[in-house]
Amino acid sequence: MTQLYGIIGNPLSHTFSPGYFTAKFQRENIPAHYKMFPLPEVSDFPALVASYQFSGLNVTLPYKETIMPYLDEIDPVALEVGAVNTIQFEGKKMTGYNTDVFGFEQSLLAFMGDMSKITGALILGTGGAAKAVAHVLGKWSIPFLTVSTSGKGHLSYKEIDSNVLNTYHLLVNTTPLGMYPNTISCPSIPYTMVNENNFLYDLVYNPEKTLFLREGFKRGAKIKNGMEMLLLQAEKAWQIWNHPVM
């Protein structure tokens, strides 16, 4: 029987997941389809699940946090993070996992080589992806601050200065700013203060080099986009769908 996988979120124009999994299915002769299911509201999720027989789903913005109450069980890591990006189906039972944690951790290790080099990090954004990043940094005992436009309970963008950038020299963009099709936007950090001691990591992978990364690169910073994280988390999701870890 042909299996059905997909991704839910809104919007979905940026996602590479359908192309990735479709190519995987063809390459490995797997009888499956992967489709996009844009949801205007997370409350539309039960009706969607009732209409299809899913083998697995990915969850992207803005529903990584709000999808959780609709699931039957949450993996301990996803529960600790407070966000889900992968749903496993066993009959009618739906279990939520977070493979962003695995993808980010492995790709950050490849980027930095040695985690002890990170004196501190700024997490730009406060959504579900930011929570996965915070979980990884906390696991490695790396000091970090989250940055938001409101500043309420977080550092505000206007508080970022050269001292902050020297102390928290890894900057991780978890916002959709700069993502296709809105490629001329970027987080409002003081790019003129960025230098060769900074590391800029963008979870956005489409386009390959966002304005955030281009501005950092111009000033000598080391840069990395989210493509490797995407591939790692996708393969982890596939493992969960086919080899349950709970």
Side-chain angles (χ1 to χ4, degrees):
M1 188 177 84
T2 301
Q3 296 176 312
L4 177 61
Y5 299 89
I7 184 167
I8 61 171
N10 187 30
L12 290 175
S13 58
H14 68 284
T15 183
F16 278 17
S17 294
Y20 175 79
F21 278 107
T22 298
K24 177 182 177 67
F25 297 157
Q26 292 173 347
R27 185 174 62 250
E28 300 179 20
N29 294 315
I30 298 169
H33 295 295
Y34 191 102
K35 297 182 179 180
M36 293 189 292
F37 296 94
L39 290 184
E41 303 289 342
V42 71
S43 56
D44 297 321
F45 178 70
L48 176 72
V49 173
S51 302
Y52 296 91
Q53 189 173 346
F54 288 110
S55 295
L57 281 173
N58 290 127
V59 184
T60 189
L61 55 85
Y63 302 137
K64 291 184 179 184
E65 298 161 282
T66 54
I67 195 68
M68 295 176 72
Y70 294 91
L71 306 178
D72 301 302
E73 194 168 338
I74 307 292
D75 172 73
V77 171
L79 195 61
E80 188 175 337
V81 171
V84 160
N85 76 324
T86 298
I87 302 173
Q88 177 209 16
F89 290 79
E90 291 179 296
K92 293 187 177 182
K93 180 184 175 184
M94 296 180 291
T95 304
Y97 295 85
N98 191 304
T99 65
D100 282 337
V101 168
F102 175 81
F104 177 69
E105 182 174 22
Q106 295 304 310
S107 61
L108 184 63
L109 278 165
F111 182 38
M112 302 302 301
D114 180 4
M115 291 290 218
S116 67
K117 293 195 299 189
I118 308 174
T119 58
L122 294 181
I123 303 175
L124 310 180
T126 58
K131 290 184 174 182
V133 170
H135 180 86
V136 172
L137 296 176
K139 176 182 173 180
W140 286 89
S141 301
I142 297 168
F144 66 87
L145 296 173
T146 52
V147 185
S148 74
T149 49
S150 70
K152 293 178 181 177
H154 308 280
L155 192 71
S156 69
Y157 283 94
K158 59 188 175 185
E159 290 178 289
I160 300 174
D161 56 20
S162 58
N163 289 330
V164 171
L165 290 175
N166 287 334
T167 304
Y168 300 90
H169 65 151
L170 170 65
L171 285 74
V172 184
N173 177 38
T174 71
T175 78
L177 292 171
M179 184 171 66
Y180 176 85
N182 301 313
T183 57
I184 60 171
S185 62
C186 63
S188 57
I189 65 168
Y191 292 96
T192 55
M193 298 179 186
V194 172
N195 57 51
E196 64 277 3
N197 295 317
N198 290 116
F199 296 81
L200 273 61
Y201 186 119
D202 201 333
L203 267 59
V204 173
Y205 52 84
N206 183 16
E208 181 179 349
K209 193 177 286 185
T210 59
L211 184 56
F212 170 71
L213 294 182
R214 294 202 308 270
E215 289 295 321
F217 185 74
K218 277 198 305 191
R219 293 166 176 87
K222 292 81 175 175
I223 64 172
K224 182 167 186 168
N225 70 17
M227 179 55 74
E228 185 181 33
M229 175 180 170
L230 170 75
L231 300 178
L232 289 165
Q233 69 83 23
E235 281 302 316
K236 189 68 172 178
W238 180 250
Q239 178 188 345
I240 288 169
W241 291 333
N242 291 274
H243 305 283
V245 294
M246 284 186 66

